[in-house]
Amino acid sequence: MQVQRDPSNVAHALMAAFPPRLADDVRRVLGVVPESVTAPTMPFEVEVEGGTVAIPSRIYHEEPGTGSERGLSETQQMVLHCLYSRHHDGRVRQRHLEQILASGEPWAVPFVVRLAGEYVLEIITSIERGLPGLAEPRSAQRRLYGEFIARNPAFFARTERRVVSYWSCYYRRQYGAFGIYPGSVLLEALRAAAVEQVGTPWPRHTPPPPAGPREDTPKGGMAAGLDGGLLVRADEVALQAAGDGRP
């Protein structure tokens, strides 16, 4: 069922996805975003820059026309890409995600981490390619993501569970062990960033790592693979994936 939009409510929902200091920039961006008959859905809350933001799980606006971004500042373009990384079409999500991966802005990080917990494998691969600093100890990128996870442990735990659920539901045949699934490798890199930030072990909500290396564990990459046969109920995936369809 479609949720009908109220223009003022839609603007409020989209502005709530960013820290208050960006309010003028977000308003400028909304000036080039086409109207939608369907309102943003199911916001999730995270802490960013000492405050709480509420980011829509999905938006349904068409992309701005060609040339619409030319009048936007660099920050405003980043805001626009963040918003469209929540688009209901996975191809649109991926296209805009790839524009924000190099950002050093803390408010862009939750948009990326949320996508790490979704089911489109091409998006997960894009994140791994676009965050090379996660594999580098004490890098600026590792610190940026480690700080975010340290401030949002419950959000990261949900992300972990989602990754396991989607692997079990959609990718178990392709990746027989969770540890060789790209989403698992990405989680390990994010977890390592959190450990480096807080200086203590980080809770795990995924299958445990193997006792030793396996022949089917990928060499190199962001992190060593994990092994595990955790069976996750598909109805959990169905609940989490509501509205996540990729055409």
Side-chain angles (χ1 to χ4, degrees):
M1 186 176 93
Q2 289 190 336
V3 179
Q4 298 304 308
R5 69 184 296 278
D6 176 311
S8 61
N9 289 341
V10 170
H12 176 76
L14 298 182
M15 291 188 67
F18 301 91
R21 67 179 180 84
L22 295 176
D24 289 342
D25 290 307
V26 180
R27 289 190 191 97
R28 178 70 182 87
V29 170
L30 296 184
V32 304
V33 171
E35 293 188 357
S36 170
V37 297
T38 306
T41 60
M42 299 181 294
F44 58 93
E45 294 187 347
V46 291
E47 180 184 338
V48 173
E49 296 185 354
T52 300
V53 297
I55 299 174
S57 291
R58 289 288 178 263
I59 67 170
Y60 298 87
H61 304 262
E62 294 295 326
E63 292 179 277
T66 303
S68 299
E69 301 175 33
R70 291 176 186 165
L72 301 180
S73 69
E74 183 176 341
T75 295
Q76 291 162 1
Q77 289 182 33
M78 193 62 61
V79 166
L80 184 140
H81 292 310
C82 284
L83 286 175
Y84 278 92
S85 75
R86 306 310 314 142
H87 198 269
H88 68 94
D89 186 323
R91 296 174 182 83
V92 176
R93 292 200 299 278
Q94 182 177 2
R95 187 161 58 247
H96 289 276
L97 160 73
E98 291 172 349
Q99 300 302 312
I100 65 177
L101 285 168
S103 174
E105 295 289 355
W107 46 265
V109 172
F111 291 89
V112 177
V113 177
R114 174 68 179 211
L115 283 166
E118 296 189 5
Y119 68 94
V120 182
L121 192 57
E122 293 86 349
I123 288 179
I124 294 172
T125 302
S126 290
I127 296 173
E128 183 174 0
R129 286 198 307 262
L131 298 180
L134 285 184
E136 301 174 10
R138 295 177 294 281
S139 70
Q141 200 167 67
R142 203 176 206 192
R143 183 171 59 253
L144 180 70
Y145 280 80
E147 288 177 350
F148 171 77
I149 294 169
R151 292 180 179 274
N152 294 276
F155 174 73
F156 186 63
R158 288 194 300 272
T159 300
E160 291 180 281
R161 295 185 181 105
R162 286 168 64 93
V163 172
V164 177
S165 295
Y166 289 132
W167 163 74
S168 181
C169 189
Y170 299 122
Y171 297 108
R172 199 180 186 93
R173 288 188 178 181
Q174 185 176 354
Y175 300 96
F178 179 70
I180 61 174
Y181 173 55
S184 169
V185 177
L186 178 56
L187 284 182
E188 287 303 292
L190 292 169
R191 185 180 292 108
V195 169
E196 183 175 282
Q197 182 64 31
V198 302
T200 59
W202 193 261
R204 176 181 297 278
H205 301 90
T206 63
R214 291 173 48 103
E215 291 183 359
D216 59 353
T217 296
K219 304 297 188 295
M222 280 189 166
L226 300 176
D227 189 13
L230 182 65
L231 181 61
V232 182
R233 293 173 58 195
D235 57 355
E236 178 186 351
V237 177
L239 287 172
Q240 294 174 340
D244 278 11
R246 185 184 193 211

